[in-house]
Amino acid sequence: MAEHWNSALSHLECGRCGTHYDADKPQNLCECGTPLLARYDLDQISISTSDIAARRPDLWRYRELLPVRDRRHVVSLGEGMTPILPLRSYGARIGVPDLLVKDEGALPTGSFKARGAAVGVSRALELGIDRITMPTNGNAGAAWATYAARAGLESLIVMPQDAPKITRMECALAGARLYIVDGLIGDAGKLAAQAVADGWFNTSTLKEPYRIEGKKTMGLEIAEQLGWRMPDVIVYPTGGGVGLIGIRKALDELLTLGWITGKLPRLVAVQSSGVAPIVRAFEQGTDTAEPWENAETVAFGINVPSAIGDFLILSAIRDTGGTAVAVDDAELLAAQAECASTEGVLMCPEGAATLVAVTRLRSSGWLDGSEEVVVLNTGSDLKYPHTATYDDPPLLAKDGELPL
Ligand SMILES: *Cc1c(COP(=O)(O)O)cnc(C)c1O
Ligand SMILES: [Zn+2]
């Protein structure tokens, strides 16, 4: 008999038209073309925050709020419970003394994509899916291929040729069928659609409902790690927006459970000025975002010209009184270097973009300096060695002498 893991999952619900779907069958989008969201019987949950505290420090500690029903289907590499670190000197310099980073760099596969992959692959295994496919800018493909290998599933990954090389190698070493395309993520998507037509299960961003459930654990952890309360502001480097939507969903669920109280944090979406469809839509006051032409940025994880969850991102920002900010590559690389030298935290380019946004929001007065601000560093910079530049070349030791 299946051993129950006490998931409170009840059904799937369309994020736009509200149609319900059976969660215990493989599902992709709603018939109206919109992402499906997992819903839970929150009033059936009888555990408390102290039960959570007694569990292992990984994301499965929130199993009641996750979709996997049987623990034997959990595919884990020890993901979750990443540290929240104060950035005291950086924060003091920019006038935001309560600046904190949730540092996702130490997760398996080096990015927070591991959260979505752990939960998505586990649930795919549980539903009897044996072949998964996706287009990716690199980190998602690396994470899903790695977790698929651990689960014994086949994976087919399509990646733009400019995606970070290490993510290619991760997919290849994990045994994925890997295809490289001379183009952007949208071009990779068109090729992955051929694999879907051939029977591979589509695990593209928000085209299956469980990646977001994995990513929402960032929001659960932020609340728990702050002592079951919310910060004033959360700043997130936004590509497909799954993390931002997930954090909002997590906090809404915790509010319904009564585990936290109060107002949602103001949610801030940060994009690169080379590809900023959400920022443009936010500024123009529209509910959806037009695709961005000629997208370009070093922050590969947020190079997403068109997001299927655009309306969910925009409503998360607007409903919470948040905002959207675009930053230049040169600015984020400078912030990355400064954070490394003053804090010992080497952020990925996407994470460093949030620091530029916080600096700008403080100068404009949007932040008054009294707020507790949590930024997300979504991955390790070790995956982007080409962005780790320095001005002074290393000194060369000659003839066994240190030229001091
Ligand atoms: C994928 C990715 C993002 C963007 O994530 P979304 O939740 O899809 O917006 C940000 N940073 C890194 C490092 C990524 O790999
Ligand atoms: Zn619908």
Side-chain angles (χ1 to χ4, degrees), residues 45-255:
I45 293 178
S46 55
I47 59 151
S48 69
T49 54
S50 53
D51 296 308
I52 302 271
R55 292 179 179 170
R56 282 169 41 161
D58 62 35
L59 62 76
W60 301 102
R61 67 205 272 105
Y62 308 111
R63 64 193 68 138
E64 285 79 3
L65 292 169
L66 292 174
V68 178
R69 297 198 190 278
D70 183 335
R71 75 185 310 161
R72 287 173 307 183
H73 298 133
V74 169
V75 182
S76 178
L77 293 164
E79 55 289 328
M81 285 313 255
T82 55
I84 294 186
L85 309 168
L87 297 177
R88 285 200 191 88
S89 64
Y90 200 102
R93 186 184 69 73
I94 64 170
V96 183
D98 278 336
L99 179 63
L100 305 166
V101 58
K102 184 157 178 66
D103 190 1
E104 299 279 286
L107 286 170
T109 74
S111 88
F112 79 122
K113 293 290 196 303
R115 295 181 185 270
V119 174
V121 166
S122 298
R123 187 68 177 146
L125 181 70
E126 184 155 84
L127 295 177
I129 292 160
D130 54 11
R131 301 195 296 164
I132 61 162
T133 187
M134 69 165 64
T136 174
N137 274 335
N139 285 333
W144 283 72
T146 300
Y147 280 87
R150 189 153 178 91
L153 307 186
E154 277 187 86
S155 62
L156 187 157
I157 308 290
V158 191
M159 197 181 281
Q161 77 185 7
D162 291 340
K165 288 237 165 52
I166 187 68
T167 59
R168 249 193 229 188
M169 290 165 59
E170 287 177 274
C171 292
L173 288 169
R177 274 202 226 179
L178 177 62
Y179 295 88
I180 304 295
V181 54
D182 180 7
L184 290 178
I185 181 83
D187 305 299
K190 286 178 198 139
L191 294 173
Q194 295 176 21
V196 172
D198 193 44
W200 294 73
F201 185 68
N202 190 348
T203 57
S204 314
T205 303
L206 288 173
K207 289 193 180 162
E208 62 75 55
Y210 301 116
R211 182 196 297 209
I212 181 174
E213 295 305 294
K215 288 196 177 183
K216 100 182 167 186
T217 59
M218 286 186 288
L220 301 175
E221 289 178 19
I222 289 171
E224 181 178 5
Q225 290 171 311
L226 295 181
W228 296 108
R229 57 175 192 82
M230 293 177 278
D232 299 306
V233 178
I234 295 178
V235 186
Y236 184 80
T238 304
V242 189
L244 191 86
I245 302 164
I247 289 171
R248 192 248 172 112
K249 185 173 189 285
L251 297 176
D252 278 338
E253 288 170 2
L254 292 179
L255 282 167

